[in-house]
Amino acid sequence: MPLLFQRTINDDTSLAVWHILEDEEFYRSRAVPQRAVSHPHKRLQHLAGRYLLHHLAPQFPMELIRIAETRKPFLEDEAFHFSISHCSDYAAAIVSRHSRVGVDIEVVTEKAVRIRQKFASNAEWTGVYAAWGSVHVGGASLDALVATLIWSCKEAVFKWYGAGEVDFKEHIQIGQCAADGAGKMVMQVVFQKEEPEALEVHSRLLDGVWLSYVVG
């Protein structure tokens, strides 16, 4: 079973990451697709994400999922708050009974370095870079690790917000950061689309992939 990572965050909230290695039939026997997806790999990602919802909360009412105009999936009665992310051959999901949540998973890429000025200030770049230190993974550069981490952090906050129209550089600002030297980072973030709101984003490097999540 390719369960890459699972964590119980609190009594109401849990998180998991799945390495997608099975064929489509494996997931179809355990998950209900919510929409038609023509691309085979994207359909596999879609099914894997919903499989994880069932894995984390067996009583999750999959058939009641709705898709907002912002493309965020939700339950109208908010019996569960949840977020799903997928990238390459990985899927992640977080489920909570009472807290708004956001999750993101990103394969480390040099592209994030080339476009970092679009989503990160110089102060954020310097702060996260200094906190992360000099841990390299595989063939990825340190710049790619840090840039992808910042993007993943902000994407998790964007999904936590869920209402769209967010400028990653203006509305999501990373402050104090702390790394443990073993692939984990905690970032203090201020989200200020409307009233400023303080959030704590947790990120973890798994198999060359950044996982970021926020509960609040």
Side-chain angles (χ1 to χ4, degrees):
M1 184 172 92
L3 185 64
L4 185 62
F5 176 76
Q6 183 166 344
R7 182 181 177 190
T8 300
I9 298 169
N10 57 45
D11 291 343
D12 300 311
T13 311
S14 54
L15 164 78
V17 178
W18 191 270
H19 191 184
I20 304 170
L21 298 176
E22 301 82 2
D23 60 20
E24 192 172 311
E25 284 308 308
F26 172 87
Y27 299 104
R28 280 193 176 275
S29 66
R30 297 162 173 82
V32 179
Q34 301 307 124
R35 55 188 174 87
V37 182
S38 58
H39 190 282
H41 189 65
K42 291 185 182 298
R43 187 166 61 245
L44 196 60
Q45 291 176 325
H46 175 87
L47 289 166
R50 277 142 182 82
Y51 170 83
L52 272 181
L53 291 180
H54 184 266
H55 171 78
L56 291 168
Q59 68 276 42
F60 193 99
M62 205 79 64
E63 70 282 359
L64 299 182
I65 292 177
R66 300 292 180 264
I67 306 298
E69 291 182 2
T70 60
R71 298 179 63 187
K72 177 181 173 64
F74 69 100
L75 296 175
E76 290 182 336
D77 64 359
E78 296 189 333
F80 291 94
H81 299 273
F82 67 101
S83 178
I84 302 171
S85 179
H86 32 69
C87 184
S88 185
D89 293 328
Y90 298 89
I94 186 170
V95 178
S96 180
R97 279 286 192 180
H98 301 298
S99 300
R100 193 193 307 181
V101 291
V103 70
D104 181 66
I105 193 161
E106 299 285 343
V107 174
V108 175
T109 173
E110 298 291 338
K111 179 182 178 181
V113 182
R114 297 194 296 270
I115 65 171
R116 71 175 179 85
Q117 290 291 343
K118 295 182 178 181
F119 61 84
S121 68
N122 289 334
E124 289 174 312
W125 175 258
T126 300
V128 175
Y129 207 104
W132 177 245
S134 58
V135 179
H136 291 258
V137 175
S141 70
L142 185 56
D143 283 3
L145 283 167
V146 172
T148 308
L149 167 60
I150 294 172
W151 175 266
S152 182
C153 167
K154 295 194 175 192
E155 185 72 19
V157 173
F158 172 73
K159 291 184 174 183
W160 165 87
Y161 177 60
E165 297 185 1
V166 173
D167 184 303
F168 278 25
K169 195 169 184 178
E170 178 182 352
H171 298 142
I172 307 172
Q173 297 179 3
I174 300 172
Q176 185 176 354
C177 307
D180 70 351
K184 291 185 286 185
M185 176 82 90
V186 179
M187 289 168 280
Q188 306 303 319
V189 174
V190 175
F191 179 76
Q192 44 189 12
K193 179 78 185 290
E194 289 107 12
E195 292 296 319
E197 186 159 0
L199 300 169
E200 187 172 86
V201 179
H202 293 254
S203 297
R204 179 185 293 256
L205 195 59
L206 300 164
D207 197 25
V209 178
W210 275 116
L211 166 71
S212 298
Y213 65 90
V214 58
V215 180

